[in-house]
Amino acid sequence: MRIAVCDDEKEVRSFLGSKIKKLYPEAEVSFFRSGEELLCSGARFDILFLDIRMDGRNGMETAAELRRKNKSTILIFITALEEYVFQAFDVGAFHYLVKPFTDEKFEEVLKAAAEQYRNRAVTESREKTKPEERCIVIKTGGVHTRIPIGDIVYAEVFNRKVMIHSVHEDIEYYGKLSDLEKKLGGDFFRSHRSNIVHFKYVEKYNVSEIWLEKGTALMAKQNYGEFVKRYLRYNSVKRSSKDVSP
């Protein structure tokens, strides 16, 4: 596993390097003092810890240039500023660590990144088998209807009835949203007690609503933080799986 740390503060580089080696002594760790130095190296890394506020090319600019050449690196921003968190979506960041962070939080994020790296081959294999072709079967009015999971945009529940909105049609049946949630998998998120959304079709969102390619869904305020984290991770995985560079 190849891990890089890019930060203009020597103390931070040393601190993160020691934490990485403590958890993964077999990892190959490289250090860079600036975005320019990182990009000029031409090296490819499995995991990258990248500071945002640096002299010269900042972390966001560095990440944007990096993504043009390499979409598979698991990117983790480290910064004292929270204001850039939403820009992290544009470059497919895996996580966003705000200084100061605890050892426990750093270990949690690094372990999650390492797990994604190790599971990448499995993820790519699943992509090749087109998991969106998996289907569920809904019974309504005595008729069984087959719905490709990849076509489901979102679902909602009201008066004991579940309404599935797919790209082609809307299907209503008696059932529980929790049962449907178990069948759909990790590409979906329960944004509200009345709604499940498919990350694939999300266009924009705020703390109270999600706009999709077809329709809108509710966002519970208490679910917003987890939604942002999961949506960021979803996009990171999708970017990685589409990277066909040697």
Side-chain angles (χ1 to χ4, degrees):
M1 184 164 56
R2 302 187 67 199
I3 302 176
V5 177
C6 182
D7 195 295
D8 57 1
E9 296 183 39
K10 182 179 180 180
E11 295 79 8
V12 174
R13 295 196 301 271
S14 299
F15 172 77
L16 295 181
S18 64
K19 294 297 180 186
I20 293 168
K21 278 296 187 181
K22 179 181 178 181
L23 284 174
Y24 300 103
E26 75 285 359
E28 179 183 336
V29 185
S30 301
F31 301 95
F32 300 93
R33 295 168 294 180
S34 66
E36 290 88 351
E37 187 178 31
L38 170 65
L39 294 171
C40 287
S41 73
R44 296 172 67 92
F45 298 97
D46 303 308
I47 299 172
L48 169 62
F49 289 91
L50 179 62
D51 190 16
I52 291 181
R53 292 191 69 179
M54 297 185 290
D55 292 333
R57 196 188 299 256
N58 67 31
M60 284 296 174
E61 295 168 339
T62 299
E65 179 64 26
L66 176 71
R67 283 299 186 224
R68 282 192 277 271
K69 301 176 181 178
N70 178 11
K71 295 181 176 62
S72 64
T73 296
I74 299 171
L75 176 60
I76 301 168
F77 282 115
I78 46 175
T79 181
L81 302 173
E82 296 186 17
E83 61 194 71
Y84 293 101
V85 64
F86 295 107
Q87 294 182 37
F89 285 107
D90 296 332
V91 291
F94 177 78
H95 213 288
Y96 192 99
L97 282 170
V98 179
K99 303 174 185 175
F101 45 82
T102 64
D103 289 354
E104 291 78 11
K105 185 62 178 178
F106 178 78
E107 290 182 9
E108 174 191 333
V109 172
L110 178 54
K111 287 178 179 178
E115 181 179 2
Q116 178 168 312
Y117 160 71
R118 289 168 177 164
N119 291 339
R120 181 165 291 158
V122 175
T123 301
E124 291 175 352
S125 175
R126 287 175 179 171
E127 284 293 317
K128 290 178 182 179
T129 59
K130 297 183 179 180
E132 64 271 17
E133 293 183 356
R134 292 187 301 115
C135 298
I136 59 172
V137 177
I138 298 301
K139 181 181 179 181
T140 175
V143 177
H144 292 78
T145 303
R146 179 176 174 271
I147 307 174
I149 288 179
D151 288 347
I152 296 175
V153 180
Y154 73 107
E156 57 184 330
V157 65
F158 54 91
N159 295 331
R160 294 175 51 234
K161 288 185 178 181
V162 174
M163 174 73 79
I164 294 179
H165 301 275
S166 77
V167 294
H168 302 296
E169 60 182 332
D170 297 333
I171 299 176
E172 185 180 72
Y173 68 98
Y174 284 100
K176 296 180 179 179
L177 205 61
S178 57
D179 292 337
L180 176 63
E181 182 181 11
K182 294 174 184 176
K183 297 177 182 179
L184 294 180
D187 288 352
F188 291 78
F189 184 80
R190 184 78 174 265
S191 61
H192 186 273
R193 60 183 177 83
S194 300
N195 290 115
I196 299 174
V197 299
H198 194 164
F199 287 131
K200 177 181 178 180
Y201 298 103
V202 172
E203 292 187 335
K204 58 182 180 178
Y205 56 86
N206 59 28
V207 295
S208 61
E209 198 167 8
I210 302 170
W211 289 264
L212 302 115
E213 289 185 19
K214 175 186 177 182
T216 59
L218 297 174
M219 173 83 80
K221 186 176 181 180
Q222 66 269 22
N223 295 340
Y224 181 69
E226 182 66 19
F227 172 85
V228 171
K229 183 171 69 173
R230 289 269 305 278
Y231 185 56
L232 191 152
R233 186 168 299 181
Y234 169 85
N235 283 316
S236 176
V237 171
K238 293 302 177 183
R239 285 173 184 268
S240 298
S241 66
K242 291 178 181 178
D243 183 18
V244 295
S245 302

